[in-house]
Amino acid sequence: MPPPALPPSVAPETATSSAATTTSPLSDLQTLRNHIDALTKLNSRLQTLRHIPALLLRPPATGLHALPQTSLLRHEFQELKEITEAVRSEPVQEALKAARKSEAAEPKLVGFDVRRKNLKRRHVLRIPRPPSPESPQPYRAAGPKSNAFLPHVDPGQAPVSLEGLPAYIREHNKATRSKLHVVAPKKGRPLQCPVVLRFVNPDVVTVYLTLERSATEEQALVVESATAFGPREQKPIHSQSDYTVYRQLTQQLARVLQTEPWAPLQAIVSLLCAYVNLFTEPCTVCGRVLSAEVHTPPVVRVLKELGEDSPSEWGVYHVACKWR
């Protein structure tokens, strides 16, 4: 006995839903996945074609188990033919068309004008932050600074000669607290170059000066070398001090003599007199008496410029503060 027929109101809806289920189109996500899968497989097969040019240039193989060159080429050309058919297939062509369409629509979706406006807005709204401590600072031109180590000598003042050295020493010892003495192996020996002078600043420093005749003025005496020692050190004059501060002072005096090789004796003695406050005067830059690096007092003396308001005519610096 056949089943009863369905009512007319039910049969058409059921048939329509069944047809829609069997022929419903793929979703956009599934279509995109199919396109990506097709292009990925095609790219993998295209990578296998890279060895074909090298195979064509390879010399014919010799041996018992070597395949003939014609059979190898036949296989490669067959593979090339199959890849060509795969490129012409409908799934790959649809994927390529979808990729071209997406690439053409990308500038419209992104919008170069929108990006430029965003950058412009970001530039306008950006608040500049102060530079970090490690960032290089802009150069700021500073005014000229004095680097003169020695005071200016009156042009009318005659340079000290070998014959006038005793009179200059007596005059200096009467006028200042520091003292000058001639170091001679034997008393009563006539003075002759080189002459060694001992400059003594009581309880501060002792400096040995070696004098020679000037190459520019035959009668003038110039300082050839200077070595600093502690006031109670008993060491040969050709050696060096055991203390860092006096070794630094010796190096600083050597720099001065190298800068001013023909400086008169009076200028060098005036510089040495400026070290009377070696252990009490603070550095002009850092304001400390002892440096933070090697814990030594400032041994650099630089003549200040005219017009600087200061009780002293000398600028006082640590070595690191002056030359860094």
Side-chain angles (χ1 to χ4, degrees), residues 30-97:
Q30 185 63 36
T31 302
L32 179 61
R33 288 178 178 175
N34 293 341
H35 290 169
I36 294 176
D37 184 57
L39 294 178
T40 303
K41 292 180 179 179
L42 177 63
N43 181 62
S44 301
R45 298 193 66 178
L46 289 175
Q47 298 301 323
T48 61
L49 300 179
R50 293 179 177 273
H51 69 279
I52 294 181
L55 182 64
L56 295 176
L57 298 176
R58 187 185 305 168
T62 58
L64 297 176
H65 303 286
L67 295 176
Q69 187 78 4
T70 55
S71 61
L72 290 175
L73 293 178
R74 189 180 299 112
H75 172 73
E76 302 300 338
F77 278 115
Q78 179 64 28
E79 186 177 356
L80 182 61
K81 183 179 179 181
E82 293 176 359
I83 293 177
T84 304
E85 293 176 356
V87 172
R88 294 177 180 175
S89 64
E90 184 177 355
V92 174
Q93 289 297 318
E94 290 181 358
L96 292 175
K97 291 179 182 179

Side-chain angles (χ1 to χ4, degrees), residues 244-246 248-249 275 277-283 288-291 294-301 316-319:
T244 304
V245 55
Y246 297 113
Q248 283 190 353
L249 180 55
Y275 287 96
N277 298 324
L278 175 63
F279 296 98
T280 58
E281 195 166 3
C283 176
R288 297 166 55 101
V289 176
L290 298 181
S291 64
V294 290
H295 304 288
T296 55
V299 298
V300 181
R301 297 293 185 271
V316 180
Y317 303 92
H318 293 117
V319 175

Side-chain angles (χ1 to χ4, degrees), residues 18-317:
S18 177
T21 304
T22 56
T23 60
S24 60
L26 298 175
S27 63
D28 294 341
L29 180 59
Q30 185 63 36
T31 302
L32 179 61
R33 288 178 178 175
N34 293 341
H35 290 169
I36 294 176
D37 184 57
L39 294 178
T40 303
K41 292 180 179 179
L42 177 63
N43 181 62
S44 301
R45 298 193 66 178
L46 289 175
Q47 298 301 323
T48 61
L49 300 179
R50 293 179 177 273
H51 69 279
I52 294 181
L55 182 64
L56 295 176
L57 298 176
R58 187 185 305 168
T62 58
L64 297 176
H65 303 286
L67 295 176
Q69 187 78 4
T70 55
S71 61
L72 290 175
L73 293 178
R74 189 180 299 112
H75 172 73
E76 302 300 338
F77 278 115
Q78 179 64 28
E79 186 177 356
L80 182 61
K81 183 179 179 181
E82 293 176 359
I83 293 177
T84 304
E85 293 176 356
V87 172
R88 294 177 180 175
S89 64
E90 184 177 355
V92 174
Q93 289 297 318
E94 290 181 358
L96 292 175
K97 291 179 182 179
R100 179 178 296 178
K101 184 178 179 181
S102 175
E103 184 181 5
E106 185 176 357
K108 297 180 181 179
L109 296 176
V110 176
F112 293 107
D113 296 336
V114 176
R115 182 171 180 268
R116 187 178 297 110
K117 290 180 181 178
N118 291 339
L119 290 176
K120 184 176 180 181
R121 188 182 300 112
R122 192 184 312 164
H123 177 71
V124 172
L125 298 179
R126 183 174 60 87
I127 300 176
R129 62 181 180 86
S132 55
E134 64 273 7
S135 300
Q137 299 298 319
Y139 172 75
R140 295 181 178 87
K145 294 184 178 180
S146 173
N147 286 323
F149 296 109
L150 300 175
H152 300 287
V153 179
D154 187 3
Q157 185 178 7
V160 179
S161 62
L162 186 62
E163 292 75 14
L165 181 61
Y168 170 75
I169 292 175
R170 288 192 296 267
E171 182 180 354
H172 171 82
N173 291 344
K174 290 179 181 179
T176 64
R177 182 170 176 264
S178 60
K179 304 302 178 181
L180 282 173
H181 305 278
V182 177
V183 179
K186 295 180 181 180
K187 293 184 178 181
R189 174 187 171 186
L191 291 178
Q192 59 182 5
C193 292
V195 179
V196 178
L197 287 184
R198 182 174 63 247
F199 174 89
V200 178
N201 206 326
D203 300 326
V204 178
V205 65
T206 299
V207 182
Y208 290 94
L209 305 174
T210 303
L211 308 182
E212 276 286 0
R213 294 185 185 273
S214 173
T216 57
E217 299 182 29
E218 184 178 354
Q219 299 299 324
L221 292 176
V222 295
V223 180
E224 190 177 60
S225 65
T227 308
F229 293 94
R232 294 173 181 81
E233 280 190 287
Q234 302 294 329
K235 303 197 69 175
I237 61 176
H238 57 269
S239 61
Q240 63 177 0
S241 175
D242 293 333
Y243 302 98
T244 304
V245 55
Y246 297 113
R247 292 197 298 269
Q248 283 190 353
L249 180 55
T250 300
Q251 295 171 2
Q252 174 61 23
L253 294 175
R255 183 182 288 110
V256 173
L257 296 177
Q258 185 179 6
T259 305
E260 303 285 347
W262 312 120
L265 177 62
Q266 299 97 314
I268 300 296
V269 173
S270 298
L271 172 63
L272 296 179
C273 291
Y275 287 96
V276 62
N277 298 324
L278 175 63
F279 296 98
T280 58
E281 195 166 3
C283 176
T284 306
V285 175
C286 66
R288 297 166 55 101
V289 176
L290 298 181
S291 64
E293 292 81 5
V294 290
H295 304 288
T296 55
V299 298
V300 181
R301 297 293 185 271
V302 177
L303 193 66
K304 291 184 178 179
E305 296 179 351
L306 296 177
E308 290 192 44
D309 186 13
S310 175
S312 174
E313 63 174 340
W314 296 95
V316 180
Y317 303 92

